[in-house]
Structures are given as C-alpha cells and as structure tokens.
Amino acid sequence: MDAGSLNSYSNLKGQSRCPLQEQLLHRKNSKENMDRFIPNRSAMDFDYAHYMLTDGRKIKENQTVCSPAREAYRKQLAETLNMNRTRILAFKNKPPAPVELFPSEHSTASAHPTKSAKPRRHIPQSSERTLDAPDLVDDFYLNLLDWGSSNVLAIALGNTVYLWDASDSSTSELVTVDDENGPVTSVGWAPDGRHIAIGLNNSEVQLWDSASNRQLRTLRGCHRSRVGSMAWNNHILTTGGMDGQIVNNDVRIRSHVVETYRGHQQEVCGLKWSASGQQLASGGNDNVVHIWDRSMASSNSPTQWLHRLEEHTSAVKALAWCPFQSNLLATGGGGGDRTIKFWNTHTGACLNSVDTGSQVCSLLWSKNERELLSSHGFTQNQLTLWKYPSMVKMAELTGHTSRALYMAQSPDGCTVASAAGDETLRFWNVFGVPEVAKTAPKVNREPFSQLNRIR
C-alpha cells in the first residue's frame, strides 16, 4: 500500500491563507552566483602570449622607422611562425575543418537540398506561476485536480471546490460541503467544460452546472464508501470507490446505474477512458490494472474484464492513454514499485518497463509531441519529461517540497498544472506551443462545380 492521508482529514492543520492566490517568489540577485569563465589551457600558447606582451609591443612601436624590406621580412616571418593570431586566451578548442569526402563538382546537394533540422525546444526549469492551495488533502489515492475544455481549472481544497479561470486568472468558489459529507475526494469535468462531477467522502457524487453555480443532482447508491476516482465518457460518468467497485452512471436518466465492473479487491484510485470510448483502464490499491471493453458491459451482471495486468508491485493510480496510438496505455506504480509500464491493450502484453526511482503519482501524454510527463513523490517530488519511445529524460522540473500528487493539462496541451502536498499549485510550460498546421492549398474548381450536372 502507498501512504495515503493517514485516514484522518481532521489532522489537517488550519490555514488562514486565501486559496489560489499567487505567491511572490523572491528571486536571487542577478549578481549572485555568477559563473566564472575558465580558459582552456591546452588551447593556449603561453610562449606566444609572453612574446606579444613584451617584444611584440616593442616591434609595433618601432614599425614607423622600419624599411619596406624589413617590414616585408617581418610579415613573412610572422606568417611562417604563426604569429598573426589575435587571440591569446582560448575558452574552447577551435573545431577542426570539415573533411570533404567527395569533390564539390560531384556533389548533389544543390539538386537535393537537405531538410533543415528542427530547433531544440527550450523547456523552462521553473514554474511560470505558483498559487497557494491551503487545505489540499495529501492523499495518494484521491484525484482533486482537473482542467476542463472551457479553460477552467477545478481544485478541491478540503470541503470546498474552487474554480480558477485561466483566461483571466479569476477565482470563484463553486461549493462547500458539510463536514459529515466531506472532504471532497475527486473532481471531474464533463466533456462540455460546463458541468462538473464532485465525488465525496460519504460515497455520494454531486453534479453541478458551473455557469449558473447550481447543483443539478446527486448520485446515490453507487458505492459504500468514498469516491476517489472518476472518468467521463460522453454522458456516462464512471466512478471508482474505496469499496473496489466501478460503476457506469448515465446522468441523463433517473436510474443512473447502468453497468458495474467488479475486479479490484481494494480501492480504485485511477480511471481513464480511451479516446474512442471503447476501453476503460482502472488501477487499484491491489496493484492491479484492469482493461474493460465497453461492448462487453452488461447491466444484468458484473462485467468481466478484457485484461488483468498484475506486473506492478504497488498501488496503480497513474494512467494515461497515448494520443497517437490508440491501443497504447502507460501506467505508473506507487512507492513500492516506482516503474512506468507500457501496455498493448489489444493483446495485454507489456511492451516496456522503466524504473523511475520514485513513486509515480500521475502521467500525462503531450498532445503535440511524442513525450510523456510523470509526477513523483519522495525523494525529489519532481516532474520528469520523457521522450517516447526511447524513454530518455528530457527535463526534470523541481520546485515542489512534497510529493506532486495531481496533474492536469490545459485544453491546448501546452501548460501543465501540478498540485502537491506542500499546498501549492504550480503551472509549467513544459510541452511548448504546437506548430501551426500548414493550410491546405486552394483547389481551382471548375466553373459552376457546386451545381448538379445534367445528363
């Protein structure tokens, strides 16, 4: 089992800070910790340097009285002895001249110009913004952060759900639940970016309209204990509970429970639907990942899983479907496992496993590049950017002083928000700006091509 919240929300310390207020970070003086330029001694000629500082200066002072023949001799001697250099100190060796393997007349470079290399993307190593998040529950098994399609970030802080509008940086309070019902254990935006589901510690799920700040309905009878994970699939809201059950709820109808998935023996802490909406991945505190197929779902009896993946050795909360390969799923294990594994969900085969060295709390694929971002716990509490499929580390982003439990991605895919047990919410410009798609060339249509032809 991974360390949760010590099962006691009452142990949280009281905070007087105002939530989601930007922190003023004190930057170091720019004159502090300046780098020193250290010469490359192997690339320097100290004898020549001494000559230029002593005898060379005397020669330059007496150049006006030298005869033309003596001046010509001096230049020839300087060229022969390589004394026409202008640099004394060298900070790096001069690169060797390129060797031309083929004569230039046989070169075909002009006929076949090479494609220019893609410039290396700059990845900022520090967060571009940091907000206070007092009363954020430090619990590995919960899901308290989500970024909706309307560019509004939802975060649960204790018993309250706050909305932060990324377009104008405004903050509003959506709802505060009673102590007997709270704290809030999960939040999840519907695909429309307007409606939001809120899972509670008392096993209920509330549906809210964020535009009107109005509660629409409460889903009861799904679970016997807290609802720590949720995932939307159009009008179907899938919920996972501490009771190990997974329930599909059709929010349009009165009797909302339409399917039940049973396979986990302990709390379901991760749920993710594939982009097609056909497969559901679930991760649990029993160290198991299940793949469920929507076509096999049944309302009459518990649905049988498609694949049961048991290679992880700790709780699996981090789940991420690949955006460019529909049957590729990435999963991350907790503190006793520390690995990221990749699965072919058609066959159930494990394609690769990478030891990250620390607890994997969350995973996000880039929408624009073949890259994967992971957030971690002890000991560095960092965010790590990986290049796929080589899994070479591209960057490690540090700043959190406690495990980075939750991550959410902006609708454009460029910015990632991370929330940690240090009660801060940080924003990282990690994935960069997507390239502008080339516009398709205009096609010259025939005159009156929009009219039906007469035979």
Side-chain angles (χ1 to χ4, degrees):
M1 293 179 63
D2 270 67
S5 63
L6 304 181
N7 298 324
S8 177
Y9 172 68
S10 60
N11 291 337
L12 290 173
K13 57 188 177 187
Q15 299 288 342
S16 59
R17 289 177 292 161
C18 186
L20 304 187
Q21 295 298 309
E22 190 156 9
Q23 292 185 351
L24 298 178
L25 301 179
H26 299 284
R27 298 186 180 275
K28 291 185 178 180
N29 191 329
S30 60
K31 295 183 180 180
E32 296 179 2
N33 302 325
M34 297 180 65
D35 291 334
R36 293 181 296 127
F37 289 95
I38 302 177
N40 185 350
R41 301 185 185 279
S42 63
M44 297 191 314
D45 188 343
F46 285 99
D47 292 334
Y48 172 70
H50 181 267
Y51 167 78
M52 289 298 296
L53 294 173
T54 56
D55 296 341
R57 182 181 300 175
K58 297 177 182 178
I59 293 177
K60 289 185 178 180
E61 293 174 353
N62 298 330
Q63 282 181 356
T64 55
V65 297
C66 290
S67 64
R70 187 178 181 84
E71 178 65 18
Y73 172 76
R74 188 192 65 79
K75 289 183 178 180
Q76 183 67 25
L77 182 64
E79 183 177 350
T80 303
L81 299 178
N82 193 22
M83 296 169 58
N84 288 328
R85 292 172 292 175
T86 59
R87 297 174 61 195
I88 295 178
L89 297 178
F91 296 100
K92 61 181 178 180
N93 292 318
K94 185 178 180 180
V99 179
E100 190 173 3
L101 300 178
F102 301 99
S104 57
E105 58 267 20
H106 298 292
S107 175
T108 59
S110 59
H112 302 282
T114 57
K115 186 177 180 181
S116 59
K118 186 176 181 180
R120 184 180 179 89
R121 187 177 86 251
H122 171 67
I123 303 173
Q125 299 298 299
S126 58
S127 57
E128 61 178 348
R129 174 175 293 188
T130 302
L131 304 181
D132 277 324
D135 292 337
L136 180 73
V137 180
D138 185 2
D139 192 325
F140 177 81
Y141 304 103
L142 306 185
N143 292 271
L144 305 179
L145 186 69
D146 197 21
W147 205 327
S149 59
S150 297
N151 207 18
V152 177
L153 187 78
I155 183 170
L157 303 178
N159 290 352
T160 305
V161 175
Y162 292 93
L163 304 181
W164 184 81
D165 194 329
S167 60
D168 58 8
S169 301
S170 62
T171 303
S172 61
E173 179 182 326
L174 179 65
V175 59
T176 297
V177 299
D178 298 332
D179 289 336
E180 57 267 23
N181 298 328
V184 176
T185 51
S186 56
V187 294
W189 284 103
D192 60 7
R194 173 172 176 168
H195 299 94
I196 185 171
I198 300 172
L200 301 178
N201 194 54
N202 69 344
S203 78
E204 296 179 354
V205 177
Q206 296 182 359
L207 298 181
W208 283 76
D209 184 341
S210 64
S212 61
N213 269 42
R214 183 170 59 93
Q215 183 178 352
L216 302 178
R217 66 180 301 184
T218 300
L219 306 181
R220 297 183 175 91
C222 310
H223 301 277
R224 298 187 301 273
S225 53
R226 72 179 185 181
V227 181
S229 56
M230 296 187 295
W232 285 90
N233 186 1
N234 294 322
H235 56 273
I236 297 295
L237 173 62
T238 305
T239 57
M242 185 180 271
D243 56 8
Q245 286 196 146
I246 302 171
V247 178
N248 281 350
N249 301 273
D250 190 335
V251 299
R252 303 170 301 176
I253 60 179
R254 186 178 185 87
S255 301
H256 50 85
V257 177
V258 290
E259 287 108 17
T260 301
Y261 303 147
R262 291 188 178 93
H264 290 283
Q265 302 303 314
Q266 296 187 40
E267 181 168 13
V268 179
C269 49
L271 285 174
K272 283 290 188 301
W273 280 101
S274 64
S276 65
Q278 285 301 115
Q279 289 188 332
L280 172 70
S282 64
N285 192 34
D286 53 3
N287 312 341
V288 174
V289 176
H290 282 116
I291 307 298
W292 313 86
D293 195 291
R294 185 83 167 88
S295 61
M296 299 170 59
S298 171
S299 58
N300 299 324
S301 60
T303 302
Q304 179 68 22
W305 58 78
L306 180 64
H307 298 294
R308 180 180 172 91
L309 313 174
E310 301 178 292
E311 278 79 353
H312 281 291
T313 57
S314 189
V316 183
K317 171 192 173 185
L319 305 168
W321 289 93
C322 179
F324 53 83
Q325 189 172 337
S326 60
N327 63 325
L328 178 61
L329 175 70
T331 61
D337 180 90
R338 305 183 303 276
T339 65
I340 299 175
K341 299 184 187 296
F342 298 90
W343 309 88
N344 181 334
T345 60
H346 288 172
T347 64
C350 183
L351 306 177
N352 192 14
S353 180
V354 178
D355 188 352
T356 68
S358 58
Q359 178 186 53
V360 183
C361 301
S362 184
L363 291 171
L364 287 176
W365 286 96
S366 169
K367 297 179 181 179
N368 310 314
E369 302 286 345
R370 296 193 172 215
E371 298 168 1
L372 179 68
L373 183 68
S374 57
S375 72
H376 297 270
F378 312 111
T379 58
Q380 288 185 292
N381 310 306
Q382 82 281 11
L383 275 63
T384 303
L385 184 63
W386 309 84
K387 188 67 179 177
Y388 185 83
S390 64
M391 292 304 287
V392 173
K393 287 185 182 180
M394 299 180 62
E396 284 198 335
L397 313 178
T398 56
H400 284 298
T401 57
S402 183
R403 51 185 181 174
L405 292 170
Y406 319 111
M407 284 199 304
Q409 192 172 11
S410 62
D412 62 5
C414 300
T415 305
V416 170
S418 62
D422 57 10
E423 298 187 341
T424 63
L425 177 64
R426 294 176 181 266
F427 295 84
W428 313 83
N429 186 18
V430 60
F431 286 137
V433 180
E435 295 182 359
V436 179
K438 296 181 179 180
T439 56
K442 293 183 178 180
V443 180
N444 295 326
R445 296 182 178 180
E446 298 179 5
F448 310 109
S449 60
Q450 71 275 17
L451 301 179
N452 292 329
R453 295 181 182 275
I454 301 175
R455 295 186 178 181

